[in-house]
Amino acid sequence: MNNTTDTYISIGSNLGNRLETIQEAIFLIAKNIGIVKKCSKVYECPSWGFSGENFLNACLHVQTKLPPEELLINLIEIEKKLGRERSTNNGYQSRTIDLDIIYYDKLIQEDSNLTIPHPKLQDRLFVLKPLADIAPQFYHPTLNKDTRNLIQECKDKSVLTKTTYTLFCNKKELLATAQFLSIEGNIGAG
């Protein structure tokens, strides 16, 4: 893919079938945004900043041709498609899906619609741990520290549990793991 940008996206869910929703979001990202190069492990952790069900969280490495603003618009559309309803209330709340741009290569951008890198990523263990699975040596462009160092300095002491769930970067990868059984015999016999 020519003229692509490496971007890192945080993905989380704490409502409904969390794993299925996250996997569907990944397939929609692969279809509408770009090539999903890597998926982290899936972590379960308590809700952060409010009282709610536990979240499943992961991070993705995506190569995209979309500029940052268009990437954000597409991520919001995917959230809507998967049932996310944004509230006008201040504060955090439960959600079917949450997609955040963590990094857009080394871009530094701050405006009323979008801040890159994500302004709170260094404070959130549920972002840093999955990010370390796929980009342990990626340097934060303003803090000048890699993911591993950010984890060591993170003040968030939430307990994260690495699950045994597997995420697939695209539908072909999923189908490659499927096992099929073929039964042959006379037509009409049995």
Side-chain angles (χ1 to χ4, degrees), residues 107-117 119:
L107 178 71
I108 299 169
Q109 174 178 330
E110 189 170 346
D111 59 42
S112 59
N113 294 326
L114 183 59
T115 301
I116 299 172

Side-chain angles (χ1 to χ4, degrees), residues 79-80 83-95 97:
E79 287 180 338
K80 285 180 190 174
R84 169 130 187 218
E85 295 178 17
R86 291 187 178 266
S87 172
T88 55
N89 298 338
N90 287 336
Y92 300 111
Q93 61 190 24
S94 294
R95 57 210 91 159
I97 194 72

Side-chain angles (χ1 to χ4, degrees), residues 63-119:
Q63 288 182 327
T64 185
K65 289 185 175 184
L66 301 178
E69 294 76 13
E70 202 172 323
L71 172 60
L72 178 63
I73 290 167
N74 276 268
L75 291 173
I76 291 170
E77 284 302 312
I78 290 170
E79 287 180 338
K80 285 180 190 174
K81 188 172 191 166
L82 295 175
R84 169 130 187 218
E85 295 178 17
R86 291 187 178 266
S87 172
T88 55
N89 298 338
N90 287 336
Y92 300 111
Q93 61 190 24
S94 294
R95 57 210 91 159
T96 55
I97 194 72
D98 186 28
L99 301 169
D100 290 321
I101 302 168
I102 301 303
Y103 294 121
Y104 187 89
D105 195 37
K106 296 290 185 180
L107 178 71
I108 299 169
Q109 174 178 330
E110 189 170 346
D111 59 42
S112 59
N113 294 326
L114 183 59
T115 301
I116 299 172
H118 193 285

